[in-house]
Amino acid sequence: MTSENQFDIHPSAVVCTDAELIGQVKIGANTVVHPKATLDATSGPLVIGENNIIEEKVVLKGSGPVEIGSGNSFRVGTVCHAKRVVDKNIFEMKCYIAPGVTINNECTIGPKCRVEGEQEVPDRAILLVGHVPYQMNHGSNNNTTQVDLLLKNLPNYHKTIKSSK
């Protein structure tokens, strides 16, 4: 860890030591960061809310300050350069979110889907490769059970970074 890195990890968060944290990163309560995830705040602070799941090979990196809300699930291989992600979104495997994008509440970004250009994805949007974007009133991403399971079990199998608080 260099003097340029400033981590603020909530005591109830679980961050595996094999995750890469760069720059000014703040991680909220009950957020889980798997091994090989990259949280890159070299272009500005990266603030992650509570109850998020950030799986293996996920890259979160903005072109400026980035705010990630609460209850989001970033699945394996997701690359997210969004300037803002609100709450309860699901980012499926290997999806890509370009700089300048805002993802609002309860959206699902499908596997290998690319969201590009300056745009704001509306609440409850579902984006799939090869399909026209649409909105529907689907159930929200309630990942509480999965977060609880990961908070309990991940430290049993991986070294974790301890909070400085």
Side-chain angles (χ1 to χ4, degrees):
M1 180 185 340
T2 68
S3 60
E4 297 172 1
N5 292 332
Q6 300 174 9
F7 309 141
D8 181 1
I9 302 170
H10 191 278
S12 66
V14 171
V15 180
C16 293
T17 57
D18 288 348
E20 185 175 16
L21 280 64
I22 306 165
Q24 186 179 347
V25 178
K26 181 176 182 178
I27 299 174
N30 299 320
T31 287
V32 177
V33 181
H34 286 248
K36 306 298 182 194
T38 301
L39 309 180
D40 187 341
T42 53
S43 299
L46 174 58
V47 178
I48 300 170
E50 57 189 43
N51 298 311
N52 291 291
I53 300 171
I54 302 166
E55 294 183 358
E56 293 86 350
K57 297 184 180 181
V58 166
V59 175
L60 299 180
K61 178 181 181 178
S63 56
V66 176
E67 179 184 346
I68 307 290
S70 298
N72 297 293
S73 293
F74 296 89
R75 305 281 164 79
V76 175
T78 292
V79 176
C80 182
H81 297 286
K83 61 183 175 184
R84 185 164 183 243
V85 173
V86 187
D87 298 328
K88 298 182 179 179
N89 297 291
I90 300 171
F91 297 85
E92 294 291 355
M93 292 177 57
K94 297 184 179 181
C95 68
Y96 174 83
I97 313 299
V101 173
T102 296
I103 306 290
N104 281 304
N105 295 292
E106 298 180 7
C107 297
T108 299
I109 311 301
K112 296 186 179 181
C113 189
R114 296 181 67 85
V115 182
E116 305 205 48
E118 289 273 334
Q119 64 174 303
E120 185 168 327
V121 177
D123 288 350
R124 296 184 182 90
I126 298 175
L127 306 177
L128 302 169
V129 173
H131 292 83
V132 176
Y134 61 95
Q135 290 177 267
M136 67 180 282
N137 293 325
H138 61 81
S140 68
N141 175 28
N142 186 351
N143 64 5
T144 306
T145 304
Q146 187 177 5
V147 167
D148 290 342
L149 182 70
L150 289 168
L151 288 170
K152 180 180 174 187
N153 290 308
L154 241 147
N156 294 334
Y157 301 99
H158 297 280
K159 292 181 183 177
T160 59
I161 298 171
K162 303 297 180 201
S163 169
S164 58
K165 294 182 182 180

